[in-house]
Structure formats: structure tokens, C-alpha cells
Amino acid sequence: MTQIPTVGQRSRTGSQLVVDRLVAHGVDTVFGIPGTHSLALYESLATSHITHVTPRHEQGAGYAADGYARMTGRAGVILTTSGPGLLNAAAAAGQAYSDSVPLLLLSPGMPLGHRPGAGLLHEAKDQSAAMAAICSWSRRVSEPEEITAALDDAFAGFASGRPRPVHLEIPWDLLDAPAATVSAPLSAPRPPAPSRDDVAGAAGALTRARRPVVIAGGGARGAAAAVTAIAELLGAAVVTTVNGKGVLSEYHPLSLGTGLHLEAVRAALAEADTVLAVGTELSAADTWDAPLPLPGVVLRVDIDPEQLHRNARADHTVAGPASAALGLIWTALLEAKVGGERPPGEHVARWKAAIRAEATAAGAPWARLITALREALPAKTVLVNDSAGVCYYGATAGFPVERPGSFFYPTGFGTLGYALPAAIRQDCPPGLSRRCAVRRRGNAVHPE
């Protein structure tokens, strides 16, 4: 296992233990607003190199942390005070859960031994239970040493499974309590390796395909090279969900673009003899409530085993990270002596024309704006969208992108007010250069 450096500085209080462990896990930025109960955390934060970004509202902190996580691939960290501060960030947690975004929400809680109904400042009946209903998990610690274990569990989950938001509540008196130094090394776990037998079954089905289609979801963002290689080897058309947009360059001859809700896409899937769905739950938010017609052989690849038959039964499944699974499938295809790259068949051109015509008609009211944006903005721009017609009708299909991670949209949970805070204060990774937010009020456009 990869070893994460240990913390050299001695932790004297619970709050210092929190900050030291965040540093040990590579956190360089947190988003939040100070409050009475979180001041000890801020005092400890000031001793570290971590950058703190202060928005005007905790919901904005949550969306900014979400944008940071999508942009960098690292966990976004939100620091709130107890009660209303934490609950203000709950909408962002709900969106992150829907879109599989790694967020860590840190908040103080009522002191140890507290009984609900005492009337303390920011008291809630059970704020940890409220967050547990929204996040992957919510945990309240009762000793300083439990802080380390809880934070390690959070980052282990982000690294080894489907990333989703988690919440850690620390009683406010525990933040000032003495804490022993924790020097145990941290381990960065690896996701489980795909089964070789499952890989062989999937590869065998693909070798027999004559009209294959790949559906690439958000879970395929880290496997763009493998998706492209398999598509080119098989001559497979590729359509993406909104979160998978750009996994295959939308300028590629095999790209069908974005949008499982389009009737023309559904017609193509009905005609396909084999469909490989990668990193997608094929949810109603993507199909717009209509189940997909998948009469051919269905293969599914997902890091979350619970997703392998959800919303569509699969004939072959491979559990594991998309990059590892597709890499093994590609190798198996080569070993099976699948011939060189197949050119796109006649059916791909026919599918593309029908999809483009339908998407153009649906996005017509916003076509001039979206076309102008695409022509004016560099190819490496990240477009951050709000839940608005200009985005889900206009930009989703009408704003082509070349790479994954360059188009953000709040799917599923469908929160509002996401775009601007998610685009602000984000440093683009290599390959991406600037951000532009398209938001709801007046369909305003804000280049960052």
C-alpha cells in the first residue's frame, strides 16, 4: 500500500488533531464560515499551510468544495459551525451524494453529555442523524483519538470505493480537550481488483459484437484513454451521461455526444447488438424517467457492486475501477486477436445525424448563446452549469468538449444556485485553463 507521510507536529488538542490529519491526507484547501463553536478549529487551521476560502453562505461553501473536488479529483472539505451552519450545507451534500463527489463535512456538535432540549446555542435535535440521511455516513466522536480513525475512514472510502459525502461531528468541548499524539502511518487503500473471469466473459462478448455502443458515465472519467482505445478497436459508438461528458472527445468520429434522454439515442441503443455501460447507474435523471431499450447483450463495469444490475440487468458484469477493468478488457481483446481498429460503420453516421438533428431542435432557443460561448471560449475551458433550460437543453448537447472533467452539472438531486460558487476559486488542473459559469437567473454567463 502507498504510505501517506505521518504528521510530525505534536497534536495537543482535538482541533489540532483534526488539522494535522487533514494535512497528512494532503488537504490544501477548505471552504467554510467561522462560528462560535468552531473557533478552536480555526485557531489550529491558522498554524497550517491549508488555504481557507470564506463564502457568504455555507451552501455556497458546499458547492465550492464540490467544484474543487470535481476539478482536482481530491476530496472537497467543508468546515461549518454547528446547527444552522451545518444544515445550510446539507443541499450541497445531497448533490454530492447524487453525483458521487467526495466531500468531507466537518462540524462541531453539542458538548459531551449533552441532553437535547437544554436550549443551547445552535442546538438541534440530532444534527448527525440529519446528515446521515443525506450523506454516505455521519459520525459523532466521543474521544479525541476517535477523530483520527474517523478521518482515516473518510479518506479510505474516497480512495477505495464510490466517492460520496461524509460528515464528522466533534463535540465542541472535545476540540479544546487534550489529545495524545497519533503517529501511526496512514495507508491509502486500493480498490478491489476486477475478477479475471468476469473480464474474460466481458471481453468474449465484445469480440462477437457487430454494432457495439459504449455508455460512459461519471465513473468513467478516469478511464478516458481506455474507453477511447476500446471504442476504436471495436468501432463502437460512444454516448455519455452528463457526468461522463468528454470521456470520449465529442469531436471524435465515434462520439454520439451526450444525452440518454434523446429518442434518437434510445433508437441507437435499441439497434445495438451489444452495450457496454461503464461507471453509470443508468438513472432516471439521465434517461428522463424512461427505461432504456437494451435488447442486445448488456455489459456493465462499476466500482460499486450494487450498481451492476440497477436499472438494467446485465449479461456480464465487472466490479472494480473503470480504468483497471477496461485496461484488462482491452488486453483480453488484443489477446483474442481482435483485428486492428475498425472504422465507424454506416450505422454510426446514421445515428449521429439523427441525434444531432433532435438535439439541435431541442436546444434551438439557446443555440446562439451556446454557439457563441463555444466559439469564444478556449477548448480547455471548464463550463460549470446550473439546473436551467439553457444548460440541460442547450449546453449539454450543444457545447462539445474534448476531455472529461470540463463540464460540471448538478444531476439527479438537481440543486439550484450551483454554478457560480462551484466555479469560483478553482485552480484548473493541467490540461484545463479557465472556468465559465452558466447559471439560472437570467441565464447569466460569468467567465472566471
Side-chain angles (χ1 to χ4, degrees):
M1 291 185 179
T2 304
Q3 296 296 309
I4 300 176
T6 58
V7 182
Q9 183 177 0
R10 181 175 179 81
S11 297
R12 294 179 297 277
T13 65
S15 63
Q16 191 65 53
L17 200 61
V18 172
V19 173
D20 285 350
R21 216 55 171 182
L22 292 179
V23 171
H25 282 288
V27 173
D28 59 12
T29 306
V30 299
F31 302 83
I33 298 175
T36 299
H37 295 159
S38 62
L39 292 181
L41 281 168
Y42 279 87
E43 290 175 358
S44 296
L45 198 63
T47 68
S48 75
H49 67 267
I50 295 175
T51 298
H52 184 273
V53 180
T54 308
R56 294 186 177 184
H57 190 276
E58 289 88 355
Q59 191 176 47
Y63 296 148
D66 178 296
Y68 171 91
R70 298 188 198 218
M71 191 80 69
T72 65
R74 302 193 298 270
V77 180
I78 307 161
L79 181 55
T80 76
T81 193
S82 51
L86 173 63
L87 295 180
N88 280 345
Q95 188 59 61
Y97 187 89
S98 177
D99 282 348
S100 300
V101 176
L103 289 189
L104 170 62
L105 294 93
L106 292 168
S107 76
M110 294 298 102
L112 294 169
H114 167 259
R115 293 184 178 181
L120 299 181
L121 178 67
H122 297 334
E123 181 180 6
K125 183 178 179 181
D126 191 341
Q127 67 174 22
S128 187
M131 297 306 294
I134 301 170
C135 297
S136 183
W137 55 257
S138 177
R139 187 180 306 177
R140 175 179 164 95
V141 299
S142 57
E143 296 179 358
E145 290 70 26
E146 293 178 10
I147 295 171
T148 298
L151 289 172
D152 289 353
D153 286 349
F155 284 93
F158 297 151
S160 61
R162 185 179 186 180
R164 276 176 156 168
V166 299
H167 167 241
L168 176 58
E169 176 182 327
I170 307 170
W172 79 58
D173 52 342
L174 213 57
L175 293 173
D176 287 315
T181 299
V182 178
S183 58
L186 308 178
S187 296
R190 298 177 184 272
S195 161
R196 295 276 178 177
D197 289 342
D198 292 344
V199 167
L206 289 172
T207 62
R208 297 186 289 273
R210 292 297 173 263
R211 293 186 307 281
V213 173
V214 177
I215 302 175
R221 285 193 298 263
V227 169
T228 302
I230 289 175
E232 291 177 344
L233 188 65
L234 300 176
V238 179
V239 62
T240 74
T241 68
V242 176
N243 279 333
K245 188 174 174 71
V247 167
L248 178 73
S249 169
E250 293 184 306
Y251 297 98
H252 194 288
L254 290 169
S255 173
L256 300 181
T258 302
L260 297 183
H261 64 285
L262 297 171
E263 286 299 324
V265 169
R266 295 166 57 78
L269 292 173
E271 190 177 338
D273 63 355
T274 305
V275 173
L276 170 61
V278 183
T280 172
E281 57 192 358
L282 303 176
S283 70
D286 287 314
T287 66
W288 291 18
D289 295 323
L292 294 177
L294 301 173
V297 176
V298 176
L299 301 82
R300 298 189 67 172
V301 174
D302 207 290
I303 196 170
D304 184 354
E306 295 184 2
Q307 298 297 327
L308 291 173
H309 293 287
R310 184 165 290 171
N311 297 317
R313 295 290 300 178
D315 299 288
H316 298 276
T317 63
V318 182
S323 57
L326 294 182
L328 292 172
I329 290 173
W330 183 74
T331 299
L333 290 172
L334 293 180
E335 292 174 350
K337 302 189 185 311
V338 173
E341 295 182 4
R342 300 178 188 172
E346 162 280 325
H347 56 279
V348 176
R350 175 166 46 82
W351 292 345
K352 286 171 69 76
I355 292 168
R356 185 180 300 111
E358 182 181 351
T360 299
W366 305 277
R368 290 182 61 191
L369 171 63
I370 299 303
T371 300
L373 278 176
R374 182 66 285 177
E375 292 176 351
L377 295 173
K380 297 179 180 180
T381 300
V382 178
L383 193 71
V384 186
N385 297 263
D386 220 332
S387 188
V390 63
C391 302
Y392 52 76
Y393 281 119
T396 296
F399 189 90
V401 299
E402 296 180 355
R403 53 183 58 80
S406 51
F407 189 93
F408 298 173
Y409 180 82
T411 62
F413 196 65
T415 194
L416 301 179
Y418 170 84
L420 193 58
I424 288 177
R425 190 52 182 86
Q426 307 302 342
D427 296 323
C428 291
L432 298 171
S433 61
R434 55 185 308 195
R435 293 86 60 214
C436 180
V438 182
R439 67 187 185 93
R440 185 178 182 86
R441 297 298 178 210
N443 295 336
V445 178
H446 299 269
E448 299 297 338

